[in-house]
Amino acid sequence: MSGLAPGEGVDASAVPLVHEPLPADEVLIGKPTAAVHELATLGEVEIGIWEMTPGTASDTEVDEVFVVLSGHARIEFVEPALPSIEVDPGSVVRLAEGQRTVWTVTETLRKIYIA
């Protein structure tokens, strides 16, 4: 499946994704894999689906807002230091360019991102 055409719709929870292992230098616990599928680009903004299987990994963020479709995770904000959050279906989160985070996914997490 490629990006959405104008007037086209999909069930974002059912879009098949192809997972790949995360880079070894990002994995802290387990053997998590991740997948991404771009749905559309509006101007310079990308909208897509991202998914990660259980495990713990570090990341450096981009400017993004996301909505969790399924799964569960804890996001720790390493730099700048902020309180950790738990995310579940329906959670909406704003991330900022350059934030350093640690994601602990306990149930495969699928989200729609706008970045």
Side-chain angles (χ1 to χ4, degrees):
M1 180 184 144
S2 60
L4 293 174
E8 181 181 9
V10 297
D11 178 350
S13 64
V15 171
L17 300 174
V18 177
H19 280 251
E20 295 183 5
L22 291 174
D25 62 337
E26 293 178 7
V27 175
L28 303 175
I29 298 172
K31 295 183 179 180
T33 62
V36 64
H37 179 84
E38 184 179 329
L39 294 171
T41 301
L42 305 174
E44 295 183 19
V45 176
E46 180 179 312
I47 298 113
I49 301 169
W50 179 88
E51 186 172 82
M52 180 176 156
T53 61
T56 301
S58 62
D59 196 14
T60 301
E61 303 300 338
V62 299
D63 282 325
E64 173 184 341
V65 172
F66 69 83
V67 180
V68 175
L69 296 176
S70 61
H72 179 84
R74 177 180 181 83
I75 305 169
E76 297 173 58
F77 296 94
V78 177
E79 193 176 307
L82 297 169
S84 298
I85 61 173
E86 303 276 333
V87 296
D88 292 297
S91 295
V92 179
V93 178
R94 166 77 163 83
L95 300 172
E97 178 81 28
Q99 278 184 310
R100 290 184 32 238
T101 57
V102 173
W103 294 65
T104 300
V105 174
T106 54
E107 181 184 332
T108 298
L109 188 78
R110 184 175 280 215
K111 66 181 186 175
I112 295 286
Y113 65 87
I114 303 165

